[in-house]
Structures are given as C-alpha cells and as structure tokens.
Amino acid sequence: MDSFNEWIELEKNDLDELVTAYSFSNDNNNSNNSDDERLKRLVEKGINHFEEYCKKRGEIIMDQNDIYDATSFMCPVWGNSFGNAFLWFGGCRPSLFIRLVYSVGGSEFDQHLSDQLHTRRGGDGIITRGNLADISGQQLHMVNALHCRTMKEEHKISSKMATLQEQIADKPLAVIAKNAEPVGEWSEEVERAMKAHSVSLGGILAEADRLRLSTFKELMAILTPPQAVDLLIATKKLHISMR
C-alpha cells in the first residue's frame, strides 16, 4: 500500500507540473519550439515513472514467497469499491488510453468551435490549439490501428484468465477440497495448489502490465508533445479521481 500511496503522490506532483507547462505553452504568446521541448521532456518523464511503477509491481507480483502478492492486485485494499469494480487485471484496460484520445479530442474540438476567443486557426482552417482536437488524419489512422491491435491482445489475456478461472474446478484444488476433512481447515496441499494458481495469475498480471506500458508508449510516440501532455493530464485526473 505504501508503494501505491507513493505512486499517487507522484501522479499528483506530475499532474501539477503538466498542467502548469501545458497552460504556459497554450498561451499564443509562448508557443515555440522551446515549449515543445519542455513538454517532450515531461512526456518522457511520465513514461519513465509509469515504467518504474510497472517494474516495481512486477517484482511484487512475482514474489514466490507470498502466494497473495498477485491476488492482492486484483481487488486492492487501497482502492475504493467503485474503482476496483472497473479494474482490468489490477489496472486500467490498455485500450482506455486510446478511448481517451477519442473522447477528449472530440470534446475539445466541440469547445474550439464554440469558443474562438481562445483559439487560433490552423493551416487547414480548423480551429485548433495544438491539443488532441488538432489530431491529423495520419495520426488518427495510426491510433485506430493501435486500438485494434491492443484490443486483440486484451482478448488474449482475458482468455488466459478465463482458462485459469476454470481450472479452479479441475485437479488438484477441487479434488483436494472435495476430500478435505474437516472442511475449511488449513492444508498444506491446498496451500501448495493455491500458490500454483497465484503464480499463474502473477504471470497474467505481468503480461497485462506489459501491454499497458507498450500501448501507452506507442500512443505517446504517435502524438505531438502538446497532444501527449493533454492526454497525460486527462489520464492522471481520471486515475486520481477514481481512486
């Protein structure tokens, strides 16, 4: 739990820094290459923090000495019931990052059309400020392709979990439980069987984290620095609000 609280504090600090830098860059008088470089560094910083968090989680999940390390991430005690209800293997669905591009970009585009006082006109005549509303056709094509690949990988991981869940009713755990006397007492056999399932679960969770990270990094590479920061702000606000 301490690691999670540290991660949340880091998220809040990063969010403050992102909002400040994005607001400054969004000012027409301050829009230049140096601002893009600053935003790019913040994006790289955000990626590094996420990568470090996933690495630390992986070390905890794959701890062979504690069978509950993996299962604790499925419904963490440090989360609330609402947030836990929407977890996908201990975190958000990787495709959620992409859905945010669509939803935030669409919302910002609508706002730009109705609020020209805070916008500038781009070369194609679309009102824009360089955020997700300004995503190009080529970028959108790349995002859509990433979305399709990510959903396929999500399905593969979900299928592995379904198989693992079904194995609860198979040997050896179900047979050991059936023959247990008295029922509910500690058993070395049950403990050993549960540990085997937990290790398998840990492997699936680690795979889910790798997909989250790879999707996030690829999406950041598609977007421009202002767009990437815009998305980072949206994801961090959503994450902090749902904890």
Side-chain angles (χ1 to χ4, degrees):
M1 187 169 180
D2 289 340
S3 296
F4 180 78
N5 288 333
E6 290 174 5
W7 168 244
I8 288 296
E9 286 304 312
L10 187 61
E11 286 273 86
K12 291 179 179 178
N13 292 335
D14 285 352
L15 177 59
D16 290 340
E17 191 173 7
L18 287 165
V19 170
T20 299
Y22 184 71
S23 298
F24 183 82
S25 176
N26 216 25
D27 187 332
N28 288 337
N29 295 325
N30 295 316
S31 181
N32 51 52
N33 291 334
S34 63
D35 288 325
D36 277 359
E37 284 300 318
R38 182 187 181 191
L39 295 180
K40 184 178 179 180
R41 288 194 296 271
L42 288 177
V43 172
E44 292 172 349
K45 181 179 178 181
I47 292 173
N48 289 336
H49 284 170
F50 189 31
E51 197 163 15
E52 290 169 5
Y53 177 69
C54 289
K55 180 180 178 181
K56 184 175 291 187
R57 267 173 54 114
E59 292 171 351
I60 296 173
I61 288 171
M62 299 310 292
D63 184 357
Q64 301 295 313
N65 297 318
D66 189 344
I67 68 169
Y68 299 109
D69 280 339
T71 56
S72 64
F73 283 100
M74 296 298 287
C75 190
V77 296
W78 51 84
N80 57 45
S81 57
F82 181 83
N84 286 348
F86 292 94
L87 289 179
W88 184 80
F89 298 104
C92 70
R93 279 185 172 272
S95 56
L96 182 67
F97 298 130
I98 302 169
R99 291 293 295 270
L100 279 173
V101 172
Y102 300 145
S103 62
V104 174
S107 175
E108 290 175 343
F109 183 77
D110 290 341
Q111 180 182 346
H112 291 181
L113 292 179
S114 62
D115 189 9
Q116 299 186 28
L117 293 177
H118 296 86
T119 61
R120 59 181 174 81
R121 286 197 172 274
D124 56 2
I126 297 178
I127 300 171
T128 175
R129 292 186 299 180
N131 56 16
L132 289 171
D134 193 30
I135 194 166
S136 69
Q138 182 180 8
Q139 285 178 305
L140 190 58
H141 176 75
M142 295 170 69
V143 170
N144 289 341
L146 176 61
H147 195 190
C148 291
R149 294 197 306 273
T150 301
M151 288 192 297
K152 288 181 180 178
E153 293 303 315
E154 286 177 350
H155 179 70
K156 290 179 182 178
I157 294 174
S158 294
S159 295
K160 290 181 181 180
M161 184 61 184
T163 299
L164 184 61
Q165 290 170 329
E166 290 170 356
Q167 288 174 352
I168 292 293
D170 205 346
K171 295 180 181 180
L173 187 56
V175 176
I176 295 172
K178 172 68 169 55
N179 297 327
E181 288 293 343
V183 177
E185 290 292 322
W186 180 87
S187 165
E188 184 176 349
E189 285 186 295
V190 171
E191 191 83 358
R192 189 163 50 245
M194 289 175 63
K195 182 172 183 178
H197 280 283
S198 184
V199 170
S200 297
L201 176 61
I204 297 174
L205 285 172
E207 189 175 352
D209 273 351
R210 286 194 295 271
L211 181 59
R212 268 187 281 266
L213 181 59
S214 64
T215 301
F216 180 69
K217 292 172 74 171
E218 188 169 348
L219 187 57
M220 291 294 103
I222 293 172
L223 303 175
T224 64
Q227 291 168 348
V229 169
D230 192 19
L231 179 61
L232 277 172
I233 291 172
T235 57
K236 290 181 185 298
K237 284 186 175 181
L238 180 61
H239 180 213
I240 294 171
S241 297
M242 290 185 63
R243 65 178 293 268

